């Protein structure tokens, strides 16, 4: 029984909550395909540390935007939005429903609502900020961001130099807080969006994160990171699971300390994900233990199939 209009079902929630499995169940139930909106899983050189779906999961349903890029090519949320919308246009010619899954809230919102318009950044400002990062370290840039935009400072991953520099680029170029450019009027899309969120008690989420990190380490995350050491300054690698092990390989921590930091920083990341998604009042939240069949029935009822 078809949907009344093209419908994008977005599966969202914190890391390690079970989004991949649910997305596959939904794709099979609706005979459709999956778009990944996980900004860390785009890169073919990063597999273990980004929890890319297994070979079995990838064959269980057709996935798009999984390890389709290289860390050596610049790729941002604007690029993803453009490519994802182009793909959706094609998929909706033969599918009533498409599934999008991921914990990168900005990337999900870019497809469903559009992106905020930011000023064009002069190359000189970008180069200056990168020079300051090299000479003075991340702390100085974090301090400037906190002084000039306390609101965004509370939301952003301040340990990610790429994110901090991006905000300061806009601030220095425009003379306005980065946060003032957010939440502008959103774009209308030629499809309906249904949001499905998975959640759990904080302790359960944190326990699942800790176990996942242990599994990643056993699966060879350190060996994966060692191969990437020559390229550790690239933006794609300024992320949890890689930064901490680069630090260990530089002799700044023990392996146990680095592993502990990965767990801590991933828990912080999950907290920020929850904060982002909780702002979206359109999300239909389900405990992570709820069966896919129950969620499917909810989707059908909301779309009056």
């Amino acid at each position: 029984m078809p949907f009344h209009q093209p419908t994008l079902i977005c599966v969202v929630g914190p890391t390690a909550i079970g989004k991949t499995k649910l997305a596959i169940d939904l794709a099979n139930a609706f005979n459709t395909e999956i778009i990944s909106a996980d900004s860390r899983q785009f890169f073919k050189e990063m597999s273990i540390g980004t929890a890319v779906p297994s070979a079995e999961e990838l064959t269980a349903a057709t996935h798009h935007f999984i390890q389709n890029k290289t860390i050596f090519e610049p790729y941002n949320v604007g690029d993803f939005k453009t490519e994802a919308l182009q793909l959706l246009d094609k998929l909706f010619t033969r599918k009533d429903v498409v599934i999008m899954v991921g914990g990168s809230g900005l990337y999900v919102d870019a497809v469903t609502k559009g992106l905020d318009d930011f000023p064009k950044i002069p190359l000189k400002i970008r180069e200056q900020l990168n020079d300051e990062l090299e000479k003075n370290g991340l702390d100085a840039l974090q301090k400037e961001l906190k002084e000039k935009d306390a609101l965004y400072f509370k939301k952003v991953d301040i340990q990610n130099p790429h994110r901090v520099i991006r905000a300061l680029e806009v601030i220095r170029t425009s003379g306005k807080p980065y946060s003032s450019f957010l939440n502008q009027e959103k774009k209308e899309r030629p499809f309906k969006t249904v949001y499905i969120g998975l959640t759990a008690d904080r302790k359960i989420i944190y326990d699942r994160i800790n176990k996942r990190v242990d599994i990643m380490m056993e699966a060879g995350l350190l060996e994966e990171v060692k191969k990437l050491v020559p390229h550790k300054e690239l933006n794609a690698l300024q992320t949890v699971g890689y930064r901490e092990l680069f630090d260990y390989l530089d002799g700044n921590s023990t392996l146990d300390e680095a592993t502990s930091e990965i767990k801590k920083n991933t828990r912080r990341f999950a907290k920020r994900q929850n904060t982002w998604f909780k702002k979206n009042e359109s999300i239909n939240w389900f405990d992570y233990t709820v069966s896919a069949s129950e969620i499917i029935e909810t989707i059908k009822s909301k779309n009056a199939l």
Side-chain angles (χ1 to χ4, degrees), residues 188-250:
E188 288 295 319
R189 296 298 190 213
F191 51 81
K192 179 178 180 178
T193 301
V194 176
Y195 295 95
I196 301 296
L198 291 181
T199 188
D201 289 340
R202 182 180 295 181
K203 184 181 184 306
I204 291 173
I205 294 173
Y206 287 2
D207 285 345
R208 289 173 69 90
I209 286 169
N210 293 341
K211 286 175 186 172
R212 175 182 273 187
V213 173
D214 288 336
I215 290 169
M216 285 176 173
M217 293 302 293
E218 290 167 10
L221 178 57
L222 180 59
E223 286 67 31
E224 179 172 278
V225 172
K226 283 179 180 176
K227 295 175 185 174
L228 296 169
V229 167
H231 319 295
K232 65 181 182 180
E233 303 304 324
L234 291 174
N235 284 337
L237 297 174
Q238 308 305 312
T239 188
V240 179
Y242 294 82
R243 288 194 311 251
E244 297 85 355
L245 289 176
F246 288 141
D247 213 35
Y248 158 68
L249 293 170
D250 285 340

Side-chain angles (χ1 to χ4, degrees), residues 23 41 54 61 85 145 156 183 192 199 221 227 248 264 293 304:
Q41 293 181 355
S54 66
L85 288 174
L145 180 58
V156 72
N183 303 316
K192 179 178 180 178
T199 188
L221 178 57
K227 295 175 185 174
Y248 158 68
K264 181 182 76 175
S293 58

Side-chain angles (χ1 to χ4, degrees), residues 38-55:
D38 187 317
S39 63
R40 289 156 38 96
Q41 293 181 355
F42 299 148
F43 302 106
K44 59 187 72 173
E45 296 85 359
M46 303 162 69
S47 178
I48 298 171
T50 60
V52 165
S54 66

Side-chain angles (χ1 to χ4, degrees), residues 268-285:
R268 287 177 172 172
F269 175 56
K271 186 177 179 182
R272 288 192 299 273
Q273 287 175 305
N274 270 330
T275 299
W276 182 289
F277 291 125
K278 292 295 183 185
K279 291 183 299 182
N280 185 344
E281 296 178 358
S282 299
I283 296 177
N284 303 282
W285 289 102

Side-chain angles (χ1 to χ4, degrees), residues 2 5 11 21 30 61 67 98 123 156 188 220 231 236 245 251 253 274:
Q5 65 184 109
V11 179
K21 181 181 184 306
F30 293 112
Q67 295 192 305
V98 177
L123 183 59
V156 72
E188 288 295 319
H231 319 295
L245 289 176
S253 65
N274 270 330

Side-chain angles (χ1 to χ4, degrees), residues 102-115:
S104 302
L106 177 62
Y107 284 69
V108 173
D109 286 355
V111 173
T112 61
K113 303 173 184 176
L115 278 173

